[in-house]
Amino acid sequence: MTVSELLDRQRSFYESGNTLDTRSRRAMLQILANTLKEKAGDNPEAGVILNAIAEVRKHLYKWTGTGRLRLLLSLFARPGKGGPIPYGCALVDASGSGDSLSSIMLPLVSALAAGNTAVVLIPDSPAGRLAGSIIDDTFTDDFVATVPVYDVAAGDLDSLDFSLVHVCGSGMPSSGHEGSLAFSSLSE
């Protein structure tokens, strides 16, 4: 399968609304945490990632809750709802993250918490191979996919129209509430 076909499958999955429900986001994050415990339980960075997942799961309802806004429709003020809206399909470029499992996984946790699908560009390192194994064992390709940096398809990622590109180590927040907001836009 080509990378453009993969992106089309992810867009279809996102547009079906499967990622928008907060309960399903929390469930996917719990499944990711369980796989992480199985595969990287003794890795020191696993505890950091597990703590971040627990924090996100704890506050996700609050972060995704829609506040009441007053919208003027015609001459009457009617209550409306607004809140963070996921971008769609995000590219998490972890190719320059070196040998750090947390720098690969924390942006992915934020992307999933925001309700996006994701393609993760995995570096050729022990941490990259571990992250790729965790992601591939946890998710289907139409939700979260991995592309190794040495793969021929990795060169095509720049030409595709992702909704958001997150370069690990770029200064963009990658975890917590700020990370979740970085992977979503606020509705008006």
Side-chain angles (χ1 to χ4, degrees), residues 64-73 76-85 185-188:
T64 60
T66 54
R68 294 184 63 94
L69 301 175
R70 297 194 63 131
L71 303 174
L72 286 176
L73 300 175
F76 301 100
R78 297 181 184 206
K81 291 192 173 199
I85 299 172
S185 64
L186 293 176
S187 67
E188 301 277 331

Side-chain angles (χ1 to χ4, degrees), residues 9-22:
R9 284 180 54 199
Q10 286 200 340
R11 281 194 183 124
S12 296
F13 187 80
Y14 171 76
E15 289 169 1
S16 70
N18 293 327
T19 64
L20 298 179
D21 182 40
T22 304

Side-chain angles (χ1 to χ4, degrees), residues 12 15 18 48 60 68 134 156 178 181:
S12 296
E15 289 169 1
N18 293 327
V48 173
L60 195 58
R68 294 184 63 94
I134 291 168
D156 297 337
E178 293 84 15
L181 288 176

